[in-house]
Amino acid sequence: IYNMDCRKVLPWLGKFDLLLTDPPYGINYAAGESTQQGIQKFERIKDDDKPFDASEFLIHGDAIVWGANNYAHTLPKGIGQFYCWDKVCKNGLKVRIAECEYAWHQNGTKPRVFRHLWSGAYRASEAGQKAVHPTQKPVALMRWCLSLVEDAATVLDPFAGSGTTGVACKLEGRKAVLIEGVEAYCESAAKRLSQGVLF
């Protein structure tokens, strides 16, 4: 785990089999400003107030990057596929959150959908566990991503947040390098990865 700006360390790391990440989308997401009772308060995501250009990160081998619909104009044309994470798994469900999220897979050959409920207290996994990052993904989602690239022995996450990609890699027997610019999230990731039982 590196606690620094990923752009400063990436040139020294060489190639990886897979870049799997959930970067800041450039949408200035305000997770901490909800007034709804019981909703966790978070600081704003670092660098989410600036446009994100995925192209500078697509030089490390294969890549799966989340939030890709927000910066699709920076992705290579004519290659890859979009994936969808269906977070509510039911038509017409009244929720505050987006019903789905999109990823782009550089070596993807067909669109895919991962159906996994993740709406407040209603979760298909990690029920009752508090998130430590405002856009924290379920471990099950990142394990699904890894299952799509079975031969990826080394995985890079340059926007590691609370370390979910690292946890998924540990559970799947993959090697991972995590980079995160916020020290508190690095500490959370290290804590999660040191636990015998992972979520």
Side-chain angles (χ1 to χ4, degrees):
I1 301 174
Y2 291 88
N3 176 210
M4 60 192 307
D5 184 326
C6 63
R7 291 166 180 87
K8 293 180 179 175
V9 70
L10 281 174
W12 305 101
L13 294 180
K15 294 267 187 183
F16 288 78
D17 297 322
L18 176 66
L19 181 142
L20 174 57
T21 194
D22 184 33
Y25 306 159
I27 61 173
N28 207 20
Y29 179 57
E33 295 182 5
S34 172
T35 57
Q36 186 172 333
Q37 188 175 8
I39 297 295
Q40 285 180 255
K41 305 293 186 202
F42 290 103
E43 297 293 322
R44 285 187 177 264
I45 298 167
K46 185 179 181 196
D47 294 332
D48 194 37
D49 58 340
K50 303 169 188 157
F52 180 73
D53 184 352
S55 63
E56 65 182 300
F57 297 95
L58 303 179
I59 58 173
H60 297 275
D62 196 5
I64 298 176
V65 288
W66 284 94
N69 54 303
N70 294 290
Y71 47 84
H73 63 285
T74 72
L75 298 169
K77 304 288 187 237
I79 66 167
Q81 280 292 344
F82 279 90
Y83 297 156
C84 176
W85 167 31
D86 177 356
K87 298 161 60 170
V88 295
C89 306
K90 182 178 179 182
N91 290 329
L93 190 65
K94 303 294 184 199
V95 293
R96 292 178 55 254
I97 63 169
E99 292 187 13
C100 65
E101 293 190 30
Y102 294 97
W104 179 81
H105 183 187
Q106 186 169 355
N107 290 350
T109 58
K110 58 186 173 184
R112 296 179 185 273
V113 177
F114 180 70
R115 295 172 182 86
H116 189 83
L117 182 64
W118 193 261
S119 176
Y122 303 99
R123 295 185 171 188
S125 63
E126 302 176 50
Q129 295 193 31
K130 285 199 166 202
V132 296
H133 189 281
T135 62
Q136 186 169 319
K137 300 291 185 281
V139 173
L141 175 67
M142 293 310 195
R143 291 183 82 175
W144 175 76
C145 291
L146 291 174
S147 76
L148 300 173
V149 191
E150 293 181 358
D151 59 347
T154 57
V155 179
L156 170 67
D157 187 346
F159 301 97
S162 62
T164 302
T165 298
V167 173
C169 287
K170 184 173 181 180
L171 291 169
E172 295 296 326
R174 319 281 184 101
K175 293 180 181 178
V177 172
L178 310 179
I179 309 170
E180 172 54 48
V182 178
E183 185 176 1
Y185 293 142
C186 281
E187 291 172 359
S188 296
K191 183 177 179 182
R192 290 177 81 193
L193 288 163
S194 69
Q195 294 171 348
V197 178
L198 298 169
F199 298 98

